[in-house]
Amino acid sequence: MMKNINIGVIGVGVVGTSVIKILQENKEIISARAGANVVVKKGVIRNLSKARDVNIPLSDNIDEIFKDDEIDIVIELMGGVEEAYEIAKKALQNKKALITANKAMLAYHRYDLQKIAKDIPIGFEASVCGGIPIIKALKDGLGANHILALKGILNGTSNYILTQMIQENQDFNDALSQAQKLGYAEADPSLDINGIDAGHKLLILASLAYGIDAKPQDIIIEGIESINSDDIEFANEFGYSIKLLGIAKKEGNEVELRVHPTMINKNQMIAKVEGVMNGISVIGDRVGETLYYGAGAGGDATASAVISDIIEIIRGKSSLMLGFENSPHTPLSLKSKDSIKSHYYIRLLAIDKPGVLAQIASIMSKNNISISAFLQKESKQKNSAKILFATHVTTEYAIKNTITEIKKLDSILQEPYIIRIEDE
Ligand SMILES: NC(=O)c1ccc[n+]([C@@H]2O[C@H](COP(=O)([O-])OP(=O)(O)OC[C@H]3O[C@@H](n4cnc5c(N)ncnc54)[C@H](OP(=O)(O)O)[C@@H]3O)[C@@H](O)[C@H]2O)c1
């Protein structure tokens, strides 16, 4: 007879409910794969009087899970950062394996948890791109490789909004309300559209790929809120699509990490990832480019990843949380934001009078920036023109200085806007 493995689920919301249902509905295949019966012994929630779609014992007292010696695995699906971290810590201190889908908590505390866990398994496949097994790919499948680069569409909501703006000519606000109507965006979608959610995920992937312990404030994170139809037209004109990308690149012993809207060549595979889908390209030094595509969020896709961790833990196959022994991996450091290099697209709104372009060109030349493409368009605003251009490769430092100086010109009518261009 198969043994029982008991789990406690903290948080029975969208993901927790899906985990419980899939464990019941796909019970046979899951126990055949795990070699044990997975029993949900208890679920913990805040509000016991809320109607639930699950049939398991529920409590509003988390300690019941920690004190129950029969519970082998704790699954944290409540969200938040510090409270969730305290709970994850408590699970490990009580010698229970831990599974979490909480990318926000891991963005800050993954190294703290790894230290506390020692040989207690931690699964977090669900924290990045739910349905795509990218954590296992980086930890195990690509284990022989130095990861040269990783580029990912890591947030489905923002990808949906950009797809609507590009394909349906919707403006940002209309595309966002449609995403909310369809249930893709939260009531408060700020973390999706300001790039922070994708930033959390990139930091987790960077730990697996490079062993880099960076926090959100250490890297460039920008969202899609300021993109407009001029940017989309310019991108289209020069053969680009615009995607919110998480980018990691290794050069020597340095790694650059950044999340921002990016113009990428329309022919790249990742440019074809549309709607709410997620996609990641990973380049290993031995394997070359590998691509991963699938649903990034949603109850069932995320629960599918949680359950894959349950199976792995039961089989005793789990490896070190972040995939690295403490030694002798060559230490890599995070590249400073200012020294990151890119091509840039710049959008300006300026008074339409002689000499303005010359002033802008002179500031750019002073900062050693040269222009590779240029478009001037009429503006609805009287006596003004939209000036759109792309630059050859330069540094964040040079572009920041250039924008600061351009902003000071009397002829500039609006905050300049930049989008980075990935030409490789
Ligand atoms: N939804 C997705 O598609 C998705 C995808 C990837 C990752 N995730 C991550 O998965 C986690 C859960 O997301 P979700 O969408 O399932 O959230 P959710 O629907 O808001 O559910 C959260 C659950 O946690 C419970 N909870 C919150 N604070 C608690 C506390 N202090 N003590 C006990 N229970 C508490 C809530 O209880 P009540 O029901 O009583 O309010 C609710 O059952 C988050 O970390 C999220 O980032 C979600």
Side-chain angles (χ1 to χ4, degrees):
M1 226 182 65
M2 275 191 198
K3 62 177 176 182
N4 283 353
I5 294 290
N6 293 311
I7 64 173
V9 180
I10 300 175
V12 184
V14 174
V15 182
T17 302
S18 280
V19 167
I20 291 159
K21 284 188 163 179
I22 297 174
L23 284 172
Q24 286 165 352
E25 288 161 15
N26 287 2
K27 185 175 177 356
E28 284 181 13
I29 184 88
I30 292 168
S31 49
R33 289 199 167 120
N37 293 315
V38 182
V39 179
V40 183
K41 189 141 186 246
K42 186 150 287 171
V44 176
I45 37 95
R46 269 178 307 206
N47 180 357
L48 274 173
S49 56
K50 216 192 251 180
R52 309 273 163 183
D53 200 12
V54 292
N55 182 18
I56 56 153
L58 289 172
S59 164
D60 58 2
N61 179 2
I62 290 179
D63 284 334
E64 284 183 25
I65 294 217
F66 300 131
K67 285 188 186 140
D68 187 337
D69 290 338
E70 288 181 355
I71 289 182
D72 309 289
I73 304 176
V74 171
I75 308 186
E76 182 276 305
L77 298 171
M78 57 181 261
V81 177
E82 293 309 323
E83 197 183 356
Y85 170 54
E86 290 306 319
I87 284 166
K89 238 167 47 178
K90 222 166 164 188
L92 295 170
Q93 284 157 350
N94 282 278
K95 306 276 176 243
K96 297 184 188 304
L98 171 74
I99 295 173
T100 178
N102 191 335
K103 56 248 170 172
M105 186 265 284
L106 292 173
Y108 291 94
H109 292 300
R110 59 203 184 282
Y111 282 89
D112 303 325
L113 286 178
Q114 174 164 263
K115 246 185 242 150
I116 299 164
K118 298 194 177 87
D119 55 355
I120 302 171
I122 301 183
F124 56 107
E125 186 63 67
S127 65
V128 182
C129 300
I132 307 175
I134 186 66
I135 306 270
K136 289 185 179 71
L138 284 171
K139 230 161 81 166
D140 303 328
L142 301 177
N145 291 263
H146 287 287
I147 305 301
L148 303 180
L150 179 155
K151 287 179 202 170
I153 293 171
L154 306 175
N155 183 277
T157 307
S158 52
N159 201 43
Y160 175 82
I161 293 171
L162 287 175
T163 306
Q164 288 300 109
M165 290 174 74
I166 294 167
Q167 293 182 353
E168 307 295 331
N169 295 324
Q170 281 190 339
D171 72 15
F172 174 81
N173 288 323
D174 290 344
L176 171 59
S177 16
Q178 186 153 335
Q180 283 173 314
K181 257 187 232 146
L182 291 168
Y184 299 149
E186 310 277 331
D188 174 9
S190 49
L191 294 187
D192 290 324
I193 60 179
N194 66 13
I196 303 258
D197 176 75
H200 291 158
K201 294 169 184 166
L202 181 71
L203 289 168
I204 296 170
L205 296 182
S207 294
L208 297 159
Y210 305 108
I212 291 267
D213 179 7
K215 305 276 188 296
Q217 61 272 22
D218 302 328
I219 68 169
I220 294 172
I221 300 183
E222 291 171 13
I224 61 168
E225 315 87 321
S226 303
I227 297 174
N228 71 20
S229 56
D230 297 321
D231 312 326
I232 289 170
E233 267 176 49
F234 181 93
N236 208 20
E237 178 87 21
F238 291 96
Y240 297 116
S241 184
I242 304 179
K243 295 288 179 192
L244 180 71
L245 285 192
I247 299 175
K249 281 187 199 169
K250 176 180 176 299
E251 216 183 84
N253 283 343
E254 283 194 324
V255 174
E256 64 184 65
L257 298 178
R258 46 198 172 105
V259 171
H260 48 66
T262 315
M263 291 193 188
I264 46 169
N265 194 300
K266 278 183 190 166
N267 296 324
Q268 282 195 30
M269 297 283 274
I270 201 130
K272 299 181 203 302
V273 175
E274 287 169 355
V276 279
M277 300 307 280
N278 283 188
I280 308 168
S281 147
V282 182
I283 302 176
D285 65 340
R286 300 303 157 120
V287 72
E289 184 175 22
T290 57
L291 281 160
Y292 308 83
Y293 172 86
D300 277 8
T302 311
S304 162
V306 168
I307 294 170
S308 84
D309 282 340
I310 299 178
I311 294 172
E312 190 171 273
I313 289 172
I314 295 174
R315 285 173 172 171
K317 280 197 167 172
S318 60
S319 50
L320 279 163
M321 180 191 176
L322 297 171
F324 288 109
E325 293 285 356
N326 294 329
S327 57
H329 164 65
T330 316
L332 298 171
S333 56
L334 187 66
K335 191 177 245 181
S336 76
K337 292 181 195 174
D338 277 353
S339 59
I340 291 175
K341 287 184 183 155
S342 180
H343 299 257
Y344 295 81
Y345 155 86
I346 304 176
R347 176 201 340 131
L348 301 172
L349 181 68
I351 296 174
D352 195 5
K353 65 173 186 190
V356 172
L357 275 180
Q359 280 178 319
I360 294 168
S362 140
I363 293 174
M364 294 186 66
S365 142
K366 204 173 86 189
N367 286 287
N368 280 325
I369 297 178
S370 55
I371 293 173
S372 63
F374 178 83
L375 266 186
Q376 181 159 346
K377 289 172 67 183
E378 270 180 31
S379 155
K380 279 186 201 138
Q381 210 168 315
K382 223 173 147 197
N383 298 329
S384 68
K386 295 171 188 169
I387 302 170
L388 315 174
F389 49 89
T391 73
H392 285 293
V393 171
T394 183
T395 59
E396 285 286 320
Y397 180 77
I399 211 81
K400 246 179 13 196
N401 285 344
T402 304
I403 295 296
T404 308
E405 286 183 52
I406 288 178
K407 256 163 66 173
K408 286 185 194 149
L409 296 175
D410 291 340
S411 48
I412 295 298
L413 300 170
Q414 203 180 60
E415 182 73 22
Y417 182 60
I418 63 157
I419 298 182
R420 294 162 189 84
I421 303 173
E422 278 287 301
D423 253 347
E424 295 148 29

